[in-house]
Amino acid sequence: MKKKLRTKRVRFTGIAIRFFTMCIVLTLTLSLSACMKNKPRDENSTTKSEQPPVTTGPEENGNPRLLQHLAADTKVGEAYVFDVNVLCYDNEQVLVQYTLSNRSMNSMEAGLDIIVLEHHFALYSREDMRLIKEIVADDTNTYFEQLREAICLTTIGEDGYVLETYDYELNQIAEVSIGSGSLGYFSPDGKRCYYDEQKKIYVYDSADDSVEELEGDGNYLVNSINGVITDEAGNDFVIFQALAADYRDYQFIVNATSGEIIRVDAMEERYTTISNNTYVEYKGDGVTENEWLAGVSQDVAFAYEWDVDNYSLSLLPMRNRNLLFTYGMDDTLYLYLYEYETGQLLGEMSLDTSKMKAQEEVYEEYDGEMSWGTQVFLYGTPVLRDADTMLLQLANYAGDVYFMEWDFTVDGQQNVTSGHVGKPTVAAHKMGTLPTVDITNLENPLYQPDELSAELLPLRAEADAMEEKYGVEIYIGEECANILGGYAVEPLTDYAMVEGALTTLDAEMSKYPDNFFEQFEYSWVEGLDIYLAASLTGIEEDVLDTAGGFKTVNNYRLLLVMDCQDTWGMPSTFHHELCHAIEEKIVDASYYVDDPLFSETAWDAFNPYEDIYTYTYADWGYEKYYDLAYDSVYYSDGDVCETYFVDTYAMTYPTEDRARLFESVMSDNLYDIDFDAAPHLKEKLNYYAQCIRQTFDTTGWEDVPWEAYLE
């Protein structure tokens, strides 16, 4: 019985060789005919044109067999074939994806850009090689992802992304548009799309063209989606990164049907991939340590470990969820196929790739050891023809592509050549024993921007007038609630406090030249924003536990955030954070000046010692240098002549040194510094004033406070 099955299979493979060669040629030829003539094409058209130069490989003895060789410089008409992938092939049809380009792969050697002309998806009948259907993506901003039961095309537009899914017969399943700041992932069947927006997850269902928020039973804010898998009962499980109420990032797995949190994990030194409806965790550097954990269910998984030094092991989940591991050594590629649900080894094979190496080395030697031009690798996901046979797609670094068919049931497992370094070890594993975090009792507020309350609307008009006056954007009340810059920002909603903050802000901004704030549009920065908020709670390492204010970048705009509950301290906070924004502009401008005035080296030259900054907010200066701080000496009735810093906080970072100095000049309630009595502080201030003048357009500037001591 076994011998009879093998004879039948070998005969079929011979047919596959002839068919596959013709199919690839015809696919490329017909597709070229459509794109070059730029005419509408009939789905069933079989018009032929010039065939590309392709060669059929020898029918090697044994298994696997070389079906097709596509040369790197294969050209059809005026276009080159680029990125060929067989997505699906069985007894009836073949689906091929490829790109036509103006240059070949080898053009990259000369540093020339590869310009993509068109992406093609072509479906052919095996019986008569008839073109059944084709999709041509003209937009160069389109990329595709292969799902277990569908393909997904994503087109990048000005307003966001358009995601389309098609089955393996190229029938459209779904289409959805999402915002530019979102990530979207379809379920493996291509019918439901999960995407993040405004820190929440939404699901689009093509069954009724509906969009609903994913209701989770936890307190978290979504940062990004990693993927989605579907179990045997049809339940979707969404894997995403989110901020929990302890203000730390975790990976969440949530049942999309029930909203139940299946697992919360810090994922320390581990990563996740979701491919072909298979959830895999891995860790290691890819060379000296590799470990994978493939989940079978909510409770069961299999751990695959590889502890061989200097040989990198790669994992490719198949469409049937089986796992193919590969590694290369010298001129041999080793493959190991494991059954997903049992961890059983289904087949192993060694493949001699010496005849597939590039004829000439196309890259220089790497670290003096490896010539990348002579290497052969497996790319893309191997394609199943049936339960026992898969198509392997290989390439070398010159761009030559090889298609080979491997029947892993012939003669049982294939003999692996001597000299290989081993194979992965497999062990059953309980998913429940993995590190998990209990967040059910965490109730810290997770702030999110919201519409302004009706009570504060009159103050919105006042803020609008100030925006027009100074050329900035000002946020008040619920508009300021957010998690950013390493801080949880609480909104200030007390009417009197918000009103007082606006009045104070207006008074302090009026101290600057008329065109000053409008100049925060430069390079990649689109302007200046100001948050008038309440308490600022540090949630990341090396930030203050609580802060009076901070500067960050949000949506390509510089952002100043201030705790405005106490308007007495607000002026110094505003000028301090604004100095950080000024410095950002100065540093950016320094990249475009041949001999910039500003540099950290120049700044350090004003200090008496090299190791004076602590570079941490945990230590406000070293005790041995306290007598260099103006406030320490001044309040002890000492001589301020040899002081170099406003206070010990200025000794944390150079940027804080400058900001503390700047705010002391602009504020009336910090320290009453006598700069004439403190020449080192005066020297620093004047240097920074000159850096500002070199960076900003100073037309019409008169009586600028920070230039009062310039001679």
Side-chain angles (χ1 to χ4, degrees), residues 222-238:
V222 177
N223 291 326
S224 63
I225 299 179
N226 296 341
V228 57
I229 60 176
T230 304
D231 66 8
E232 289 73 10
N235 298 308
D236 290 339
F237 292 84
V238 185

Side-chain angles (χ1 to χ4, degrees), residues 79 154 205 207 239 254 285 300 307 357 389 435 508-509 548 599 601 605:
T154 300
D205 193 338
I239 300 95
V254 172
D285 58 12
V300 180
D307 57 2
K357 294 191 298 184
T389 311
E508 298 306 315
M509 295 182 74
S599 72
T601 301

Side-chain angles (χ1 to χ4, degrees), residues 133 220 266 287 466 513 545 571 675:
K133 185 174 289 189
Y220 53 78
V287 177
M466 290 177 58
D545 293 335
F675 283 96

Side-chain angles (χ1 to χ4, degrees), residues 63-64 324 347-349 388-390 404-408 414:
N63 186 22
L324 180 66
E348 58 182 302
M349 185 260 292
D388 302 328
T389 311
M390 71 175 67
M404 306 194 74
E405 194 176 67
W406 176 30
D407 178 355
F408 48 84
Q414 299 295 307

Side-chain angles (χ1 to χ4, degrees), residues 213-411:
E213 181 184 343
L214 179 63
E215 297 291 344
D217 60 0
N219 185 21
Y220 53 78
L221 295 178
V222 177
N223 291 326
S224 63
I225 299 179
N226 296 341
V228 57
I229 60 176
T230 304
D231 66 8
E232 289 73 10
N235 298 308
D236 290 339
F237 292 84
V238 185
I239 300 95
F240 58 90
Q241 299 294 125
L243 184 75
D246 61 353
Y247 301 119
R248 293 185 60 193
D249 284 316
Y250 297 100
Q251 177 178 273
F252 286 72
I253 302 179
V254 172
N255 186 322
T257 303
S258 65
E260 177 188 4
I261 298 177
I262 302 303
R263 188 168 144 225
V264 181
D265 190 356
M267 296 298 291
E268 295 178 355
E269 298 182 355
R270 289 179 294 131
Y271 307 91
T272 298
T273 61
I274 297 94
S275 176
N276 279 322
N277 203 35
T278 304
Y279 173 83
V280 178
E281 290 181 7
Y282 66 97
K283 70 177 183 179
D285 58 12
V287 177
T288 61
E289 178 188 16
N290 289 270
E291 180 179 323
W292 293 263
L293 185 71
V296 177
S297 68
Q298 296 181 25
D299 301 315
V300 180
F302 285 93
Y304 298 82
E305 294 190 26
W306 171 262
D307 57 2
V308 179
D309 292 344
N310 301 320
Y311 289 97
S312 178
L313 189 69
S314 299
L315 168 61
L316 296 169
M318 308 284 291
R319 280 182 61 195
N320 64 355
R321 307 183 81 179
N322 288 341
L323 305 178
L324 180 66
F325 290 91
T326 68
Y327 78 91
M329 184 174 69
D330 299 326
D331 290 332
T332 306
L333 186 67
Y334 297 90
L335 297 90
Y336 303 95
L337 181 67
Y338 291 88
E339 186 178 42
Y340 177 75
E341 294 185 346
T342 65
Q344 176 185 355
L345 181 65
L346 298 177
E348 58 182 302
M349 185 260 292
S350 59
L351 176 63
D352 182 1
T353 61
S354 59
K355 296 180 180 179
M356 301 180 189
K357 294 191 298 184
Q359 295 299 314
E360 297 180 359
E361 296 181 3
V362 296
Y363 288 88
E364 295 181 357
E365 290 189 357
Y366 179 76
D367 289 342
E369 298 178 357
M370 178 182 294
S371 175
W372 288 88
T374 62
Q375 305 305 303
V376 176
F377 58 93
L378 195 66
Y379 79 95
T381 301
V383 180
L384 291 169
R385 191 193 72 192
D386 52 40
D388 302 328
T389 311
M390 71 175 67
L391 179 73
L392 306 175
Q393 305 179 74
L394 302 99
N396 59 32
Y397 282 94
D400 300 309
V401 180
Y402 299 85
F403 299 92
M404 306 194 74
E405 194 176 67
W406 176 30
D407 178 355
F408 48 84
T409 65
V410 175
D411 291 334

Side-chain angles (χ1 to χ4, degrees), residues 423-597:
K423 55 190 175 185
T425 58
V426 187
H429 197 99
K430 287 287 186 181
M431 291 287 278
T433 62
L434 289 171
T436 187
V437 180
D438 183 6
I439 63 168
T440 56
N441 295 322
L442 298 177
E443 297 180 355
N444 290 328
L446 292 173
Y447 302 112
Q448 300 180 73
D450 203 353
E451 293 183 1
L452 198 63
S453 60
E455 180 185 2
L456 296 179
L457 285 178
L459 296 178
R460 180 66 262 172
E462 185 177 334
D464 291 343
M466 290 177 58
E467 291 178 347
E468 183 69 22
K469 179 180 179 181
Y470 295 111
V472 300
E473 297 289 335
I474 300 173
Y475 294 78
I476 62 174
E478 293 84 356
E479 299 169 342
C480 300
N482 218 326
I483 305 287
L484 44 74
Y487 291 88
V489 181
E490 180 183 1
L492 182 65
T493 56
D494 181 275
Y495 187 95
M497 288 185 178
V498 175
E499 185 178 37
L502 285 169
T503 300
T504 301
L505 180 64
D506 191 12
E508 298 306 315
M509 295 182 74
S510 66
K511 297 179 179 180
Y512 291 81
D514 290 341
N515 65 343
F516 186 81
F517 296 101
E518 296 175 356
Q519 296 191 51
F520 287 96
E521 292 187 19
Y522 61 89
S523 189
W524 52 270
V525 176
E526 298 176 357
L528 181 69
D529 294 346
I530 301 172
Y531 275 22
L532 304 182
S535 63
L536 312 177
T537 305
I539 61 175
E540 294 181 1
E541 294 183 5
D542 208 25
V543 300
L544 299 171
D545 293 335
T546 59
F550 66 90
K551 185 272 303 178
T552 188
V553 177
N554 188 42
N555 294 328
Y556 302 102
R557 297 176 67 87
L558 293 175
L559 171 61
L560 310 184
V561 184
M562 294 179 289
D563 182 344
C564 301
Q565 297 175 96
D566 181 7
T567 55
W568 182 87
M570 182 180 161
S572 62
T573 300
F574 170 70
H575 298 300
H576 182 105
E577 301 307 330
L578 182 60
C579 181
H580 289 317
I582 292 171
E583 183 176 320
E584 193 105 11
K585 179 178 173 68
I586 291 174
V587 171
D588 179 83
S590 298
Y591 289 109
Y592 306 101
V593 179
D594 292 336
D595 187 20
L597 179 63

